Amino acid sequence: MVSMEDMSIRLFILRGAYGYKGFTEQVGENMYKVDTKAFQETIENAKEPIDVNKVSELSSNQIKVLQSAPSGSWLIPLLNRMGQLGMMDLREGLVNPKVFQYTSTMHAYKRSI
């Protein structure tokens, strides 16, 4: 079982890095409230998929990439669980626009040298 604080950090990373929007309620203009407790309860206790159209699992290539990340040890099982429950469609890929932009910039820089 993961502590509420750890789950809050994990949900924060999912939202910031991968654009996950679940378990969020808008409470004002540009203000959102995240329900970490409901997210944790769903991850730990759900028996049936939330959205059967999104049920998926990480590909071997996605796992290989995530294993090289410092957060890979907890991110891989969490994402797989989210895929089993249809909370996130892992077939669409895990695109982090910030990382993609940085990588593209670095490739362009290296080509210009």
Side-chain angles (χ1 to χ4, degrees):
M1 184 168 182
V2 177
S3 73
M4 186 66 70
E5 183 179 334
D6 286 344
M7 190 59 78
S8 179
I9 292 167
R10 293 171 185 192
L11 183 54
F12 178 79
I13 290 171
L14 285 171
R15 292 176 48 73
Y18 302 107
Y20 182 67
K21 305 244 185 280
F23 297 90
T24 305
E25 175 186 352
Q26 187 167 0
V27 293
E29 188 176 332
N30 297 324
M31 293 177 59
Y32 297 89
K33 177 183 175 188
V34 178
D35 192 347
T36 305
K37 183 175 178 146
F39 177 74
Q40 183 171 14
E41 288 175 358
T42 301
I43 292 294
E44 292 175 355
N45 302 321
K47 304 284 189 234
E48 299 292 324
I50 295 166
D51 185 345
V52 293
N53 295 320
K54 292 183 178 179
V55 172
S56 55
E57 62 182 37
L58 291 169
S59 69
S60 58
N61 286 339
Q62 288 171 318
I63 291 172
K64 189 186 311 182
V65 169
L66 289 170
Q67 283 175 335
S68 65
S71 56
S73 63
W74 62 261
L75 193 55
I76 293 168
L78 179 60
L79 287 172
N80 268 328
R81 179 68 175 145
M82 291 175 73
Q84 291 170 352
L85 295 173
M87 295 169 68
M88 189 176 214
D89 193 344
L90 302 172
R91 295 169 293 200
E92 294 177 358
L94 299 171
V95 178
N96 181 333
K98 294 174 188 168
V99 172
F100 180 73
Q101 181 181 11
Y102 173 77
T103 305
S104 298
T105 303
M106 290 306 295
H107 286 299
Y109 173 74
K110 287 178 182 177
R111 284 193 305 267
S112 70
I113 295 179

